[in-house]
Amino acid sequence: MATTTVSQTLNRGGAFLIASTGPEDVFTPADLNDDQRLLGRTIEEFIAKEVVPHIPELEKHKEGLMAELVRKAGEVGLLGAGIPEEYGGAALDKVSSVIVSEKLGVYASFTVAFGAHTGIGTIPLVYFGTDAQKKKYLPKIASGEMLACYALSEPQAGSDALAARARAVLSPDGKNWLLTGQKMWISSGGFSDLYTVFAKVDGEKFSAFLVERGTPGFTIGAEENKMGIRGSSTVPLFFENAPVPKENLLYEIGRGHIVAFNTLNAGRFSLGASCAGGAKQVLGLSSKYSKERTAFGKSICEFGLVKTKLGEMAIRIYALESMIYRTAGTIEGAASASGTDKVKQAMQALEEYAIESSIIKVVGSETLDYCADEGVQIFGGYGFHEDYPVARIYRDSRINRIFEGTNEINRLVIIQMLLKRAMAGTLPLISAAKKLAEELLSGPSFEEAPSGALAEEERALGQAKKIFLLAAGSAVEKFRDKLAENQEIVGSLANIVMDIYAVESSLRRAQKSAAAKGQAAELMAGATRAFTYDAMDRVEKEARTALAGVSDGDTLTTQLAALKRLAKHAPVDTIALRRRLADAVLSQDRYPFDGR
Ligand SMILES: Cc1cc2nc3c(=O)[nH]c(=O)nc-3n(C[C@H](O)[C@H](O)[C@H](O)COP(=O)(O)OP(=O)(O)OC[C@H]3O[C@@H](n4cnc5c(N)ncnc54)[C@H](O)[C@@H]3O)c2cc1C
């Protein structure tokens, strides 16, 4: 194997860049147990029966309907997934909660309302609430008696959330926090009962508060007129000396950023999973339509340029899904390791794998955008008409690149977190980069070449990791602690990191399936080969861009020569692979690797 020797100490977030994982170490959809599969079917039925028939009314904002449907989800036990059993929840494992997010992805407005309640609206309380706060609110949240949401953004403070202007001062009698300020873009804000609101104590110390609907001085603005997710509620909130009981301060004064960012880690992961569900839906719809629609005497699915779209959608969803389930398995493993404080462990696991969560958020939202866009294209003029669901899916998809941290912010976060861990010595990236530099100086390496099926992809993965170390190592050496100011280079590095995680996750899943003689193993190998081939081209280009921004003269020439050597990969007939995948999609009008 071309990368640093695996070590158990590298069993942590971001370590995939320097360590190698075996197929047996990754969780895949084929590993789902019967309960998890049953949960998936239950949600599919719930959505098909209770939500989909109401989409036209929901899109027109029928008063009270979305809240009613979220409550209905509570009746069938879907709202308590992330809540401990002692507070009335179901305490589902991470893999199960991924299934919930993914299956809900078929109607984005419902996903947002559901996620605002069960995700960002509930997580702050679960992870940071006192026992009294949890006892008071969580059972009602789990049953749907109370609906929850999360109010961080302000008109002038979105990405830069800590620039919030909302403030809280203690009332003269010391009994209440008096909140003043405005929040903006609050999902489900129009109908929620409990709001996690962030404000600065005395205008300085960023803190979180639990605010109930009906609090005097707290008013809810009109629904925003949005491009997409029109069925969801998005409103501004206004606070004018609104008294919030002192005991409703969440966590500690001045530690609101810990609450806010840990909540977003969880939200990002769920968002990526729901994007996978949405993308699968577009693929199914596109496949069906491409068989029904004829042009030039043929079904349009027979045209190579339509097939390539279907094949590419399947490939990208496969890579995304492989990352999602792998990460869910890893987080679940870390969260359920021996220990007594399960809630704390779950939060620490999410924090540990925050890099992977950001990757999944970015790749998920961009995969869904790609599929929605190509879906519209396959539908032609009809795709541009609101009578066809792809038009709505296309509009709905766009928000995913903006909320839960824009994709720009998440790209920055991926590299910032990696560097922080490298500098702290918890992730030995620096020694790996040094080792690579020595290796490159000492000429061609005589490492044992990978063998067997997918050997070329295995080799490419190892090389991609070296390319990252080459580019990142040079960037850090030149800019040191000023690297963050060179955002274009950071963006290129983040793109390389995401492709490495996607390639490795796809490859391990295909290998695991082959070892288990899985029915779809050969097709998965094809998806992996096509994805890896294109990923290597992207990785090379991003590294070239980064290196040219870092070095010049002889140094750059030497680095580019090394890059060329590392990025060399054997030609693959990706046209044939995409056609085969498209045929597999067309044979059942669906994504071919579901649950496999
Ligand atoms: C439909 C909808 C629902 C939402 N739901 C919620 C919710 O429930 N709760 C909540 O608190 N918020 C919510 N939001 C707010 C959302 O999280 C913010 O819109 C998002 O964080 C971006 O902030 P902004 O809109 O202020 O954009 P800005 O922060 O102004 O960003 C504008 C552009 O500048 C870029 N940019 C900003 N800073 C940097 C930087 N440092 N480096 C490089 N590029 C940068 C961004 O990536 C973006 O492209 C929602 C928003 C929408 C539209």
Side-chain angles (χ1 to χ4, degrees), residues 35 42 82 130 161 311 399 423 509 542:
D35 287 348
T42 308
T130 60
I399 185 60
M423 296 305 173
R509 180 174 172 192
E542 295 288 5

Side-chain angles (χ1 to χ4, degrees), residues 433-510:
K434 278 191 185 143
K435 192 166 166 247
L436 173 72
E438 284 162 20
E439 186 188 312
L440 292 176
L441 278 177
S442 63
S445 112
F446 296 101
E447 285 169 346
E448 199 184 321
S451 57
L454 294 170
E456 176 56 24
E457 286 64 37
E458 189 72 62
R459 199 190 62 78
L461 172 65
Q463 301 295 81
K465 292 184 184 185
K466 288 183 178 181
I467 291 172
F468 171 74
L469 291 174
L470 171 68
S474 312
V476 171
E477 202 175 311
K478 165 129 186 216
F479 298 114
R480 307 229 161 236
D481 54 355
K482 300 273 182 295
L483 178 58
E485 291 165 23
N486 293 274
Q487 289 196 344
E488 300 91 329
I489 291 172
V490 172
S492 284
L493 295 176
N495 288 342
I496 297 174
V497 169
M498 293 190 289
D499 261 329
I500 289 172
Y501 197 53
V503 167
E504 186 168 87
S505 305
S506 303
L507 180 59
R508 296 292 172 255
R509 180 174 172 192

Side-chain angles (χ1 to χ4, degrees), residues 101-311:
S101 302
E102 191 198 311
K103 298 291 177 189
L104 292 177
V106 299
Y107 179 47
S109 291
F110 185 76
T111 316
V112 169
F114 187 91
H117 176 75
T118 61
I120 54 179
T122 303
I123 289 168
L125 186 51
V126 171
Y127 288 159
F128 298 98
T130 60
D131 185 49
Q133 289 170 338
K134 291 182 191 184
K135 276 191 180 129
K136 183 171 178 191
Y137 294 117
L138 286 179
K140 291 181 181 168
I141 289 176
S143 68
E145 190 184 332
M146 276 188 120
L147 298 183
C149 67
Y150 175 87
L152 174 66
S153 304
E154 297 189 4
Q156 286 83 19
S159 302
D160 188 9
L162 299 185
R165 295 181 187 173
R167 39 188 293 142
V169 290
L170 206 54
S171 60
D173 63 6
K175 288 186 180 157
N176 292 297
W177 293 104
L178 301 176
L179 258 60
T180 299
Q182 185 185 339
K183 293 288 159 182
M184 179 88 187
W185 308 116
I186 307 311
S187 298
S188 297
F191 55 73
S192 283
D193 306 291
L194 187 67
Y195 299 72
T196 300
V197 180
F198 294 84
K200 287 183 176 165
V201 168
D202 300 331
E204 281 175 11
K205 288 162 253 163
F206 196 68
S207 311
F209 301 86
L210 297 167
V211 183
E212 291 188 26
R213 168 182 279 265
T215 300
F218 166 29
T219 49
I220 297 165
E223 287 292 340
E224 304 292 353
N225 183 11
K226 307 188 295 274
M227 173 205 286
I229 55 167
R230 289 187 185 157
S232 70
S233 158
T234 313
V235 292
L237 310 176
F238 303 93
F239 300 91
E240 184 75 51
N241 279 322
V244 175
K246 201 174 167 216
E247 60 274 17
N248 276 24
L249 170 84
L250 189 61
Y251 202 43
E252 296 164 21
I253 294 174
R255 307 270 286 163
H257 59 290
I258 310 272
V259 180
F261 297 142
N262 277 293
T263 302
L264 289 175
N265 283 341
R268 285 168 185 165
F269 188 76
S270 306
L271 182 146
S274 68
C275 286
K280 287 180 189 179
Q281 183 196 22
V282 184
L283 179 56
L285 291 169
S286 304
S287 167
K288 196 157 176 286
Y289 183 82
S290 73
K291 286 197 292 203
E292 289 162 3
R293 179 71 178 172
T294 55
F296 302 96
K298 289 177 173 180
S299 290
I300 60 167
C301 67
E302 291 178 52
F303 298 120
L305 287 179
V306 172
K307 267 193 202 282
T308 198
K309 294 184 196 309
L310 295 172

Side-chain angles (χ1 to χ4, degrees), residues 52-63:
V52 171
H54 296 295
I55 290 178
E57 300 154 273
L58 287 166
E59 288 290 295
K60 292 197 181 107
H61 254 293
K62 185 175 171 193
E63 186 71 26

